[in-house]
């Protein structure tokens, strides 16, 4: 059974909570005590119908204010797949939460209200999904019951969306007409829309390809930790612990260690006591080499016979800013990749993207919370990276504020 | 064509091992919060796998309420011996004796809430900068908002409204003196995933999880174990039943499930058919709608 991570973005009005509630309820993933608790809480709040949003809005402030503030994770499984939902608030002031939820998603569900068609927030969600390199997008055209299940309405929205999406780098898009409230095309096929030939949403989620998880074809292995027991049983053991973040490695393969550029041969791959002949993304393993080389956390192993990553100190990035303290040119930030850390300064802001219109705004001198922009940075020591479009693990980094230690921004290398 | 063949359990395992290795790399004095329940057992097992053949680089920290099932303590001691691990015990009884906390009284008395003080004291005394727990996001709605790396201020408190964003697999464990982190490596696992993994890896489990004959009594629709630690009301009567624990906390707040499940396979079948969540059997969560969030803010697991 495979695992699919998907994100949903939207506000209460477009029926996102109803859709998630429907998926959980119809796949029998809501339990009696949860439903009871939600029924009771709805009644206390004077809601006439059971408010399924209360299932996902867990924090006291969220329940009191009736809004989703943070990313919430929900889990369900069918006999075919396990699913992890990153449920994120859709309003513009929560762009950073959308970015966070989208960072690990394999698929993004973008909800469109059939009565309103493509809106600013549709553009925003689509832009963030494409920026974060989500491989699959589902445009769920919801509330079809309120437009008489009209194929004409559906087709117009599909055409409008395709026109808008032409301006973005979007992978595969699937369009599904649904009614989350009545259940049409969510879990079960709709008898109200015989003109729709595709699968219902859940069927699509169960069968969409997840082969992209194997990552780029090139092997990438950021070293997290060096395992050296120095025990009587393992006197000379030295294993490099990490997670394969792209491609495949075999025992006997020639590897290059970056940034040093030294080479060696893989002597063994293991997962605890299991000796493996090969390992692929996203397995966590430890790798032994045939030569004694100085390797530490932050280094990266790659295959000598494959495409090589960049080793450099100057990067052009798409940045999403997360913090109330704005990004200022010439400010110092701690720059962190998966396992490496250095210090960097922002040298230029090339342009800021208006996430509602996709227009590029130039002449911007700082980035405020939720801004997305193309930024040039310079780091004090070299980092080993790929373009984000090529590898989401080795192409991403975060900005950390030196004074507060908070994560203040996220960057995707171009 | 779908060439991707790694199962969801292998992917979850790899994610958790990645998180545990980040803890070893980013912190100086991490510890595993070991309760004797299945989740902390699985976390300990994953840590063993993450660093093999290195000895477990984290001590096990057990917050002992003094109201444990004996089986939990026996299992703990055996595991510590097997892994050659270091065990550190924080005693709630000692916190009571020292006047740090006040024992609850009455029929619903529980030491569950008192644990928080003992835990924070143990973290401070041992200078732990990361406490690794087995909490899962699917357990409870406040936990659904938890990060893998969850920052705690110098008072050990959680601020859910101002959590650090956590993107990709980049974990930010930077902190100031006196602050610490709670780490949740199996955040993305469900109860079912945990049991399927236990089956796959043949991890030995405490006998409490399997059906056994036990003296129990019914209270508020729940079966509780007869024990010197719980005061029974005059109207409550003890009966002998075939039962098992679905979660293990201390005796006073762990509801038992009437069950004939005697193997891991039986348990998986039983969970698959169950229409109640595992925490449905926990009296400590039922105190109010946001009981868990309130305890977590104060420094609970």
């Amino acid at each position: 059974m495979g695992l699919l991570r998907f994100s949903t973005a939207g506000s209460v009005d477009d029926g996102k909570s109803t859709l998630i509630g429907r998926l959980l309820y119809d796949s029998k993933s809501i339990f009696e005590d949860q439903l009871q608790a939600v029924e009771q809480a709805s009644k206390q709040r004077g809601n006439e119908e059971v408010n399924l949003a209360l299932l996902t809005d867990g924090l006291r402030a969220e329940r009191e204010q009736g809004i989703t503030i943070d990313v919430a994770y929900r889990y369900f499984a069918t006999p075919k797949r396990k699913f992890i939902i990153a449920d994120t608030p859709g309003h513009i002031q929560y762009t950073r939460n959308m970015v966070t939820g989208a960072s690990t998603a394999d698929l993004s569900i973008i909800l469109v209200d059939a009565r309103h068609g493509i809106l600013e927030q549709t553009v925003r969600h689509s832009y963030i999904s494409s920026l974060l390199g989500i491989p699959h997008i589902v445009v769920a055209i919801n509330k079809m019951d309120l437009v008489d299940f009209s194929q004409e309405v559906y087709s117009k929205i599909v055409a409008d969306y395709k026109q808008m999406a032409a301006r973005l780098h979007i992978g595969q898009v699937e369009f599904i007409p649904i009614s989350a409230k009545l259940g049409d095309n969510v879990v079960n096929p709709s008898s109200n829309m015989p003109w729709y030939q595709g699968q219902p949403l859940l069927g699509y989620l169960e069968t969409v390809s997840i082969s992209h998880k194997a990552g780029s074809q090139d092997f990438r292995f950021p070293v997290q930790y060096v395992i050296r027991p120095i025990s009587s049983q393992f006197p000379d053991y030295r294993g490099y612990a990490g997670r394969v973040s792209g491609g495949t490695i075999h025992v006997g393969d020639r590897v290059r260690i970056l940034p040093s550029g030294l080479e060696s041969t893989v002597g063994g791959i293991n997962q605890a006591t299991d000796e493996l002949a090969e390992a692929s993304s996203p397995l966590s393993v430890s790798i032994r080499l045939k030569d004694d080389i100085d390797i530490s956390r932050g280094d990266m192993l790659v295959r000598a016979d494959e495409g090589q990553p960049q080793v450099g100190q100057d990067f052009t990035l798409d940045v999403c800013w997360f913090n109330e303290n704005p990004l200022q040119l010439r400010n110092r930030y701690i720059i962190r990749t998966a396992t490496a850390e250095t210090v960097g300064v922002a040298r230029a802001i090339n342009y800021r993207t208006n996430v509602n219109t996709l227009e590029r705004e130039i002449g911007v001198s700082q980035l405020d919370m939720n801004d997305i922009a193309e930024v040039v940075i310079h780091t004090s020591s070299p980092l080993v990276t790929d373009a984000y479009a090529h590898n989401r693990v080795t192409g991403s980094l975060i900005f950390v504020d030196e004074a507060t230690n908070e994560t203040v921004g996220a960057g995707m290398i171009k | 064509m779908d060439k991707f063949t790694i199962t969801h359990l292998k992917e979850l395992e790899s994610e958790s091992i990645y998180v545990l290795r980040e803890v070893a790399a980013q912190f100086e004095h991490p510890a595993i919060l070991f309760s004797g329940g299945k989740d902390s057992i699985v976390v300990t097992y994953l840590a063993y796998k993450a660093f093999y053949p290195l000895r477990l680089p984290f001590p096990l920290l057990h917050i002992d309420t003094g109201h444990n099932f004996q089986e939990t303590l026996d299992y703990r001691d055996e595991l510590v011996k097997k892994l050659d691990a270091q065990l550190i015990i924080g005693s709630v009884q000692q916190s009571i004796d020292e006047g740090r906390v006040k024992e609850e009284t009455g029929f619903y008395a529980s030491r569950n809430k008192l644990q928080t003080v003992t835990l924070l004291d143990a973290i401070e005394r041992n200078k732990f900068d990361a406490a690794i727990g087995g909490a899962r996001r699917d357990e409870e709605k406040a936990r659904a908002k938890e990060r893998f790396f969850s920052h705690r201020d110098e008072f050990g408190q959680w601020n859910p409204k101002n959590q650090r964003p956590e993107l990709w697999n980049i974990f930010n464990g930077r902190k100031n003196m006196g602050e610490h982190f709670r780490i949740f490596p199996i955040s993305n696992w469900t109860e079912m995933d945990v049991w399927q993994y236990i089956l796959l890896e043949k991890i030995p489990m405490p006998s409490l999880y399997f059906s056994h004959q036990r003296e129990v009594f019914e209270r508020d629709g729940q079966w509780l174990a007869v024990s010197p630690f719980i005061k029974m009301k005059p109207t409550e009567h003890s009966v002998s039943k075939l039962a098992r624990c679905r979660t293990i906390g201390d005796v006073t707040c762990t509801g038992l499930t009437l069950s004939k499940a005697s193997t891991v396979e039986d348990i998986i079948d039983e969970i698959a058919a169950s229409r109640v969540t595992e925490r449905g059997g926990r009296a400590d969560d039922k105190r109010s709608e946001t009981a868990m969030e309130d305890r977590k803010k104060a420094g609970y697991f």
Side-chain angles (χ1 to χ4, degrees), chain B residues 257-282:
Chain B
T257 306
L258 299 185
S259 165
K260 288 183 186 146
S262 58
T263 63
V264 175
E265 287 93 332
D266 291 347
I267 290 173
I268 289 173
D269 289 342
E270 190 179 283
I271 297 166
S274 170
R275 300 305 305 145
V276 187
T277 64
E278 57 188 315
R279 293 199 81 91
R282 290 286 284 254

Side-chain angles (χ1 to χ4, degrees), chain A residues 1-3 5 28 30-34 41 44-45 56-63 68 70-73 75 81-82 84 99-100 103-104 132 208-211 213-214 224-225 227-229 234 237 241-243 270-273 280-286 297 322 334 336-339 341 388 392-393 396-398 400 404-407 410-412, chain B residues 1-4 6-15 17-22 24-26 48-55 57 137-139 141-142 144-147 158 160-176 179 187-191 193 196 246 271 274-281 288-291 293-294 297:
Chain A
M1 189 160 91
L3 172 60
R5 297 171 201 251
K28 302 193 170 49
I30 297 178
F31 294 104
E32 277 169 19
D33 52 327
Q34 286 174 314
Q44 269 175 14
R45 281 172 179 68
T56 46
D57 294 341
L59 300 175
R60 185 184 285 271
E62 292 176 323
R63 296 165 83 87
T68 311
D70 203 343
V71 185
Y73 295 89
Y75 302 82
R81 258 185 199 164
K82 172 186 165 91
I84 300 179
V99 168
T100 302
S103 72
T104 51
L132 272 292
V208 63
S209 164
I210 47 174
S211 60
K213 285 192 189 178
Q224 282 185 279
Y225 189 81
I227 297 175
R228 290 203 65 192
F234 299 95
Y237 185 99
R243 192 173 191 192
N270 66 297
Q271 258 202 327
T273 49
S280 297
S281 169
L283 274 191
S284 284
V285 293
S286 60
R297 175 175 168 83
F322 288 162
I334 294 161
R336 273 192 168 222
T337 61
T339 64
E341 182 178 297
Y388 185 80
R392 289 167 90 183
V393 177
S396 54
L397 53 80
I398 59 169
V400 177
T404 64
N405 293 323
E406 283 181 75
T407 302
M412 290 143 277
Chain B
M1 193 183 67
D2 206 338
K3 278 201 313 190
F4 189 78
I6 291 171
T7 65
H8 70 295
L9 291 179
K10 268 293 173 202
E11 191 173 340
L12 290 172
E13 178 194 55
S14 282
E15 176 179 84
I17 287 176
Y18 178 85
V19 171
L20 285 160
R21 287 167 167 176
E22 281 302 292
Q26 293 195 36
Y48 152 79
K49 280 193 98 170
F51 299 100
Y52 178 87
L54 194 68
R55 208 177 73 158
R137 288 174 180 155
D138 85 314
E139 275 180 275
K141 53 191 181 289
K145 309 266 165 166
E146 263 295 2
R147 304 294 192 257
W158 182 54
K161 278 203 254 178
N162 191 23
Q163 299 195 79
R164 290 182 185 173
E166 210 165 62
L167 296 98
W168 302 291
N169 54 350
I170 308 178
F171 296 106
N172 175 5
R174 295 185 67 100
K175 61 184 180 336
N176 291 319
E179 299 173 348
S187 286
N188 277 334
W189 299 47
T190 61
E191 183 187 19
D193 297 328
Q196 286 177 342
R246 196 166 161 195
I271 297 166
S274 170
R275 300 305 305 145
V276 187
T277 64
E278 57 188 315
R279 293 199 81 91
S288 87
E289 206 187 319
T290 51
E293 181 184 346
D294 297 341
K297 278 183 183 162

Side-chain angles (χ1 to χ4, degrees), chain B residues 213-261:
Chain B
Q213 202 73 37
R214 184 177 282 275
E215 289 297 307
V216 293
F217 69 95
E218 199 175 1
R219 174 182 290 177
D220 304 334
Q222 271 194 322
W223 293 99
L224 292 171
V226 174
S227 140
F229 308 130
I230 316 179
K231 207 165 147 188
M232 284 169 67
K233 296 175 188 172
T235 50
E236 291 167 340
H237 301 287
S238 123
V239 282
S240 179
K241 293 269 187 195
L242 262 182
R244 69 176 202 90
C245 293
R246 196 166 161 195
T247 67
I248 296 181
D250 70 3
V251 178
T252 61
C253 66
T254 300
L256 288 103
T257 306
L258 299 185
S259 165
K260 288 183 186 146

Side-chain angles (χ1 to χ4, degrees), chain B residues 95-247:
Chain B
S95 303
I96 295 168
D97 295 345
E98 287 170 355
R100 302 272 299 135
V101 292
K102 203 163 172 295
E103 177 107 65
E104 294 180 5
T105 53
F107 295 114
Y108 292 89
S110 161
R111 288 182 168 181
N112 189 287
K113 224 176 133 183
L114 311 185
Q115 293 181 94
T116 302
V117 171
T118 310
L119 170 66
L120 293 176
D121 284 354
I123 286 173
E124 201 178 320
R125 194 165 348 104
N126 295 282
K127 301 198 166 41
F128 291 132
D129 54 359
I132 305 163
R136 308 187 325 262
R137 288 174 180 155
D138 85 314
E139 275 180 275
E140 205 281 334
K141 53 191 181 289
R143 284 188 168 165
K145 309 266 165 166
E146 263 295 2
R147 304 294 192 257
F148 281 91
F149 272 42
S150 182
H151 179 256
R152 298 301 145 108
D153 67 13
E154 57 187 316
F155 302 103
Q157 296 183 89
W158 182 54
N159 181 356
K161 278 203 254 178
N162 191 23
Q163 299 195 79
R164 290 182 185 173
E166 210 165 62
L167 296 98
W168 302 291
N169 54 350
I170 308 178
F171 296 106
N172 175 5
R174 295 185 67 100
K175 61 184 180 336
N176 291 319
M177 279 291 284
E179 299 173 348
H180 75 276
F181 272 77
R182 299 290 170 85
I183 315 278
F184 303 108
I186 60 166
S187 286
N188 277 334
W189 299 47
T190 61
E191 183 187 19
M192 186 57 116
D193 297 328
V194 168
W195 281 109
Q196 286 177 342
Y197 187 71
I198 288 166
L199 180 67
L200 180 75
E201 298 284 312
K202 303 188 180 63
I203 306 171
M205 296 308 282
S207 54
L208 283 171
Y209 281 114
F210 304 101
S211 178
H212 56 282
Q213 202 73 37
R214 184 177 282 275
E215 289 297 307
V216 293
F217 69 95
E218 199 175 1
R219 174 182 290 177
D220 304 334
Q222 271 194 322
W223 293 99
L224 292 171
V226 174
S227 140
F229 308 130
I230 316 179
K231 207 165 147 188
M232 284 169 67
K233 296 175 188 172
T235 50
E236 291 167 340
H237 301 287
S238 123
V239 282
S240 179
K241 293 269 187 195
L242 262 182
R244 69 176 202 90
C245 293
R246 196 166 161 195
T247 67

